Amino acid sequence: MAQKYANLWSRAAASLTALSHTQAGVVRWGVLILLTIVWFGGGFWLWRELPFSEALYRTFSAVSMWDEYFNAHEPMREVVRYAALATPVVGLVFAFSGQLGRSLARMFNLGARHHVVIAGDSAAALSLAQDCRKRKDSVILIADGLAEETALGLRRKGVIVFEGDATQLETLRTARAHHAAHVVAYEPDDTANLQVEAAVRRLVGDSKRKPPIGVHVSTRSAMLLKEAREMRSSQMRKKKAGPPPIDPKPFSLDEMAARALVQKESQTLLALAQQLGQQRLHIVFFGFDAAAEAVAERVLMSLWSAHFEPPRLTVLTPDTAAEPGFKARHREAFANPEAWIADIAFLPFDWNLASVGDELLAMVEDARGKPTAIVVSTGSDPGNIHLSIALKRLCNSGERWPVPIYMRETSQSEFSQQYAKGDETPELDAYLLAFGAHQVNSTRTRVIDGALDQGAAIAHEHYNKGLGKKDAMSMRELQSAMKDWSDVLETYRAANRAVADAAMVKVWDAGFRPAVKGEKGETAIAVPADLLEKMARTEHDRWMAERLMSGWRPTDDGEARNNDLMAHDKIIGWDQLNEADRDNDVVQVRASMDVARLMHKEGFVSRG
């Protein structure tokens, strides 16, 4: 059974919040209207032979209990009498019941523990709050300026909504953030999110929290994300005895979307590249915003196949700062030609000033070759939709580029749900697939539970214990590997994330694909012996690319590895490695099989 983040008091507060803001108001008004109809309807019927003014007076008089009502024995007069008495009493009770429910919810919330606190009013924050409520978690949302209708809708689902500044200690104290299981900072400003983490840290102080409070800090800047993660590693190196009260977990929705896309689509791309007779995976980008750059990074770090040459990227963008910016952020990936140079080219193209036509496709083909896939991420959902539709028509004209078009969409639209669902025909043609919507990305499973890191935890376990030389891990061992993941330094986390993202590439290289519905798949697959060294060699090349993309550099001659300076003595060619180092790459190849098993419990079949 999945863990629920709540205790008795927080669960009661959530239930009262939902109860006091649901359709109970309609029921209350219905009861009052019914009582009033019985009172006046019955009264006018009793005094129907009198003039209207007299009948109205005697009907109202049912409240005063004068003799004709007080000593009444006639059934209708009894009914009118009790309806008249009940109407104001019930009205008063109902008038205060909604406020009473809200007040009780706040009182119960004073004892809330092990709940989820979310700071921010973005679409992603609201999506996470609603998804947590579906999992029966108790959720407190701190939002400043949330629309009244939106807040009402959340409260009806049991989300406790506080107005205030989440960077302030008192606001977080009111939300019981110092007793929460998880705090998620979703403010629109990265700096504000870091301030939320700092405020939670001050609020907790030296108090013991077991397990520590997970503080998930959303970042939009890739560089800030990297620095926040490195800062976490630095704190871990200096930590005192015993678990820290706060476990900072910086994350990026763009990175999550990119990793999920690579993990899901890698086998599709490899099979298509083979079918098209291509020598390498070639991804063409239209636009290069933060989301597109995140995809580019994951491709260069993970999509390395033993059957193809290193991946190639081509970027079409009107932004002249895109190329120097990317190369500055990944300097080492371009400064070490003896190890590897990222194969990425930036070509000028402004889709707002020029149409997407055959001459554009010819220019890309002449300069870089035919693509395996297209990524459209221009910075706006409408722009991505318009450009993707035009590209699909053009690519399918004469089967020019029969490739998938991955369309970035921050929020699911009717268009993507109807038309950008992936390949739905057996023909070889271009098709649309939307990715990155907050409804899919900003969920409890990905943000709080860290599902995308489960494979990375297994890869680390393999490397740390040399499990590649032993039998395959059991499912219980696979599931328990996440327990120690929080103690892993960030530099190893980054490396193992790329290993996990590349797992399905290794499965394809080994000759397997995931079983589909109706197929009987194997759950324990192995790498063929004749492919093992070739795949290990490719894995070493992929690892070097990931290290260089992450800012590491080769050591100078005779220099030892230096984690502080991010210098690694193993960023060298395969032929220069000793036997033990080569075995480590073999371990990671075999680890990929266990990572894939966790991701695809239905098993695998030969791709024949």
Side-chain angles (χ1 to χ4, degrees), residues 110-260:
L110 293 176
R113 289 176 179 268
H114 312 303
H115 55 295
V116 178
V117 177
I118 302 173
D121 56 6
S122 65
L126 304 187
S127 177
L128 178 61
Q130 295 180 74
D131 190 61
C132 287
R133 282 301 297 154
K134 288 179 183 177
R135 306 295 187 91
K136 307 301 181 184
D137 298 328
S138 295
V139 179
I140 297 178
L141 178 71
I142 303 174
D144 193 8
L146 195 64
E148 184 177 346
E149 295 80 3
T150 304
L152 178 60
L154 290 169
R155 287 179 173 126
R156 284 175 173 170
K157 294 178 180 178
V159 178
I160 300 172
V161 180
F162 287 167
E163 290 188 10
D165 184 356
T167 64
Q168 300 300 313
L169 284 179
E170 289 309 313
T171 305
L172 291 169
R173 194 190 308 278
T174 303
R176 302 280 292 174
H178 51 309
H179 292 292
H182 296 275
V183 177
V184 185
Y186 253 136
E187 296 291 343
D189 180 22
D190 287 353
T191 303
N193 288 328
L194 293 174
Q195 288 173 346
V196 170
E197 179 193 332
V200 175
R201 194 182 299 278
R202 291 198 304 273
L203 192 61
V204 174
D206 294 328
S207 302
K208 299 298 181 182
R209 292 289 182 270
K210 190 176 180 179
I213 301 172
V215 182
H216 308 259
V217 179
S218 173
T219 59
R220 290 163 178 78
S221 166
M223 292 301 292
L224 185 58
L225 175 65
K226 179 181 176 181
E227 292 301 324
R229 285 173 168 170
E230 289 300 329
M231 184 170 62
R232 175 188 182 276
S233 288
S234 177
Q235 292 168 353
M236 288 181 64
R237 293 190 187 101
K238 301 175 183 177
K239 70 180 182 180
K240 303 174 183 177
I246 295 295
D247 182 14
K249 299 180 178 182
F251 72 97
S252 161
L253 288 178
D254 288 335
E255 182 188 76
M256 286 183 178
R259 291 188 61 202

Side-chain angles (χ1 to χ4, degrees), residues 498-513:
V499 171
D501 295 346
M504 294 308 295
V505 176
K506 303 290 193 306
V507 170
W508 190 89
D509 283 352
F512 296 93
R513 62 169 176 80

